[in-house]
Amino acid sequence: MNNRKFILSGIATLFLLGTEAQTPNIVIIYADDMGYGDLAVQNPDSRIKTPNLDRLASEGMRFTNAHSSSGICTPSRYSLLTGTHHWRKFHNIVNTWDASVFDTELTIPEMLKEKSYVTACIGKWHLGWDWSAILKPEASRVEVNGQKTYRPEDFNWEKPIPGGPLDQGFDYYFGDDVPNFPPYAWFENDRIIKAPDRMLETTEKTPEGNWEARPGPACKDWDFYAVMPTLTEKAVQWIKKQKKDQPFFLYFAFTSPHAPIVPSKEWLGKSEAGPYGDFVMQSDHSAGEVIRALKEAGLYDNTLVIFSADNGPETYAWERVRKYGHRSMGPLRGLKRDVWDGGHRIPLIIRWPGVTHPGSVTDELISQTDFMATIAAGLDINLPKGAAADSYDQTALLKGTESGAREAMVHNTFDKYAVQKDNWVYIDAPDGEHSKMPEWFRQQEGYDRNQQPSALYNLKDEISQHQNVIDKYPEKAKELKSLLDKMKEGAVK
């Protein structure tokens, strides 16, 4: 462990225990498809500046071995909010018009009600709604560009839509659900603010990549470029309305830098990594605006701020290496969807006044599923039996007084599984790939094709997962395979 030990003052200890006078506010800022190497402070060769997040890291703790539950969106968000790995229940994303992934799971905002928190979700939801509640009986799907969807007239848009954030413990929601899924409209709480009245049309090209916008109902003149500025403004407004004597939880889920890659006009050309880099810089600015709002309201020094991302970067990252010399995945192998580390090893910064030590860095293993148990411990909340089943209390790690509580973690996307323990990673498949690596990149980076049915890597020797050492350490592979099976069965946490 490489972070220094320090002793909490008496005041800080009271802060950690969540006494009435010091109950901390909580803000989670969650980027969408932002890679490990997109955070400038941990990429010495970055072509993108992230001054606000770099400053946050200097004020808190940065984690270099932090992981989302999955290499894709919905599963990671579900696991963060419930402290339970997605693969115990499902593997895929919520697709267009799918129902909620939640049943009776306890979520972070529901847990915080015990301490009288006001809670809000602003931004991307992507965890499903009960669309059947507003779908007209005669409605049927139509095919548009090879995809099944509904038309605007198929819904009763004036009705409330169950199953969303308000049913999972949030007092307030504002967002667009998913940036590239219909309906292309603003949600507030459980309703659509303005009813979509046409099918989406995209004509101009995006600055980088494709629109990736699925067909369906849209409001007139829906502006993808205005989404992040609008969400940021709403988050700032919501913070300004909060009271110092009322603890709050804000889950601000960015729609950036996910495709469509649509940086606002004032951000175009700001980075040295093309429009995606510009979009990352705009995302950094949004994080900075939230922090500025907390400071101006006199709330910053009593607020736990967590910044992270749901998974690794999209496949446009390959060409970004060749064209701009920027590695969104950093030194890691793989991208979004992959079980390679590049798919799920994500940026993580935690600033908790009186708990984390400014400028500290750790390579201890931590998962986003650990947020729930850690927050619960800090607030002296006893989680009910069965809740946050995969969450570890990482308070000692945050304080720098002990090593991390987590010894191992299962990595999963779709049908592929891996497990990490003591810097060893065992992949229970020939490789960790779902996002196909271009041949030019494979040759440039010297990645061989594995001929074995499974793979073993020592991340301490080489984090880039080049060398499959399963032939050299067959007993280690056997040990980790057994551990993976036990963790999947629930016999080991």
Side-chain angles (χ1 to χ4, degrees):
M1 183 173 178
N2 61 5
N3 32 314
R4 294 182 297 165
K5 295 182 178 181
F6 66 100
I7 300 174
L8 292 173
S9 68
I11 293 176
T13 303
L14 289 174
F15 186 107
L16 178 61
L17 293 176
T19 61
E20 185 176 351
Q22 292 287 334
T23 303
N25 308 306
I26 303 167
V27 174
I28 296 178
I29 303 173
Y30 206 45
D32 198 359
D33 288 7
M34 182 175 172
Y36 180 93
D38 288 328
L39 185 63
V41 71
Q42 60 191 24
N43 182 355
D45 300 316
S46 177
R47 312 292 286 176
I48 303 171
K49 295 178 180 179
T50 54
N52 294 292
L53 293 173
D54 292 355
R55 189 177 306 112
L56 183 67
S58 73
E59 297 173 352
M61 177 175 276
R62 180 165 59 88
F63 300 78
T64 60
N65 194 10
H67 300 262
S68 54
S69 185
S70 173
I72 54 175
C73 175
T74 300
S76 294
R77 294 163 194 272
Y78 169 86
S79 298
L80 183 155
L81 289 173
T82 64
T84 302
H85 283 308
H86 68 281
W87 45 264
R88 298 197 186 280
K89 185 175 184 179
F90 66 98
H91 294 269
N92 211 332
I93 64 168
V94 165
N95 279 295
T96 312
W97 312 120
D98 277 357
S100 172
V101 297
F102 294 99
D103 291 310
T104 60
E105 302 93 327
L106 183 72
T107 65
I108 291 177
E110 288 172 331
M111 174 188 78
L112 293 175
K113 292 300 180 184
E114 181 177 324
K115 296 295 181 177
S116 302
Y117 274 70
V118 173
T119 60
C121 172
I122 293 176
K124 182 173 180 176
W125 179 238
H126 204 182
L127 290 161
W129 303 76
D130 182 7
W131 293 106
S132 64
I134 69 166
L135 191 66
K136 294 178 180 177
E138 68 275 15
S140 61
R141 297 198 187 214
V142 294
E143 186 168 314
V144 180
N145 299 328
Q147 299 183 60
K148 294 285 189 178
T149 190
Y150 289 106
R151 300 162 297 180
E153 58 268 28
D154 290 331
F155 295 92
N156 290 306
W157 296 110
E158 71 280 2
K159 290 185 175 182
I161 313 169
L166 268 60
D167 285 335
Q168 315 311 330
F170 288 104
D171 298 315
Y172 178 75
Y173 173 66
F174 181 89
D176 63 338
D177 187 32
V178 186
N180 58 321
F181 283 16
Y184 298 96
W186 291 115
F187 295 64
E188 188 163 36
N189 294 323
D190 58 358
R191 294 175 186 268
I192 298 289
I193 295 175
K194 179 183 177 183
D197 59 0
R198 63 201 61 222
M199 296 293 279
L200 178 72
E201 293 183 6
T202 53
T203 52
E204 61 180 281
K205 283 181 61 65
T206 53
E208 180 179 335
N210 300 313
W211 281 107
E212 298 189 18
R214 301 192 182 187
C219 290
K220 181 183 179 182
D221 299 325
W222 178 255
D223 186 0
F224 288 93
Y225 291 87
V227 171
M228 270 306 296
T230 302
L231 295 175
T232 303
E233 182 181 359
K234 284 289 184 180
V236 168
Q237 289 175 353
W238 190 85
I239 289 170
K240 289 180 177 179
K241 293 177 182 177
Q242 303 315 303
K243 301 174 183 178
K244 288 187 178 181
D245 60 353
Q246 173 70 61
F248 64 82
F249 169 49
L250 172 62
Y251 170 56
F252 184 13
F254 288 1
T255 58
S256 63
H258 189 288
I261 298 169
V262 284
S264 300
K265 185 176 181 180
E266 61 268 31
W267 289 99
L268 277 172
K270 293 288 187 180
S271 76
E272 297 177 359
Y276 173 85
D278 303 338
F279 211 17
V280 172
M281 288 188 65
Q282 182 176 346
S283 304
D284 173 81
H285 173 75
S286 291
E289 288 296 283
V290 168
I291 292 170
R292 184 164 68 89
L294 290 168
K295 289 180 177 178
E296 290 179 352
L299 299 166
Y300 191 53
D301 288 335
N302 189 38
T303 300
L304 161 60
V305 178
I306 300 174
F307 174 83
S308 197
D310 60 346
N311 47 248
E314 186 53 275
T315 53
Y316 302 121
W318 304 125
E319 193 60 29
R320 198 172 304 125
V321 174
R322 181 157 61 179
K323 191 172 182 180
Y324 299 105
H326 177 78
R327 300 178 67 98
S328 287
M329 72 294 280
L332 309 176
R333 183 174 186 173
L335 303 178
K336 176 180 180 176
R337 303 176 191 86
D338 289 337
V339 178
W340 302 120
D341 263 34
H344 48 79
R345 187 186 289 230
I346 37 73
L348 175 60
I349 301 167
I350 298 179
R351 180 189 184 271
W352 194 339
V355 180
T356 55
H357 189 67
S360 54
V361 181
T362 179
D363 60 3
E364 292 281 320
L365 183 62
I366 188 171
S367 168
Q368 291 173 356
T369 60
D370 297 336
F371 294 172
M372 191 165 181
T374 305
I375 292 170
L379 298 175
D380 198 24
I381 294 174
N382 292 317
L383 289 165
K385 185 178 181 180
D390 298 301
S391 192
Y392 282 86
D393 173 14
Q394 296 280 20
T395 301
L397 175 60
L398 298 185
K399 291 163 60 177
T401 56
E402 296 179 18
S403 297
R406 176 177 289 279
E407 293 185 355
M409 180 177 174
V410 173
H411 306 308
N412 164 261
T413 307
F414 303 128
D415 59 339
K416 291 185 177 180
Y417 285 85
V419 64
Q420 180 185 159
K421 183 182 180 183
D422 298 331
N423 284 309
W424 290 94
V425 171
Y426 169 79
I427 299 178
D428 198 22
D431 59 49
E433 187 170 281
H434 285 296
S435 293
K436 185 173 175 57
M437 182 183 290
E439 191 57 34
W440 68 264
F441 190 86
R442 185 183 301 279
Q443 293 181 11
Q444 173 182 296
E445 302 298 316
Y447 282 115
D448 294 330
R449 297 183 188 277
N450 180 33
Q451 304 300 317
Q452 305 278 20
S454 54
L456 180 70
Y457 298 91
N458 187 329
L459 299 179
K460 188 175 182 180
D461 290 346
E462 52 109 23
I463 199 173
S464 57
Q465 294 177 297
H466 276 84
Q467 301 298 320
N468 180 9
V469 293
I470 198 164
D471 284 342
K472 190 174 181 181
Y473 301 100
E475 290 305 310
K476 175 60 69 174
K478 184 178 178 181
E479 171 195 331
L480 292 177
K481 165 64 173 170
S482 175
L483 174 62
L484 174 60
D485 290 342
K486 289 176 181 177
M487 293 180 77
K488 287 169 65 177
E489 293 166 1
V492 176
K493 185 174 177 180

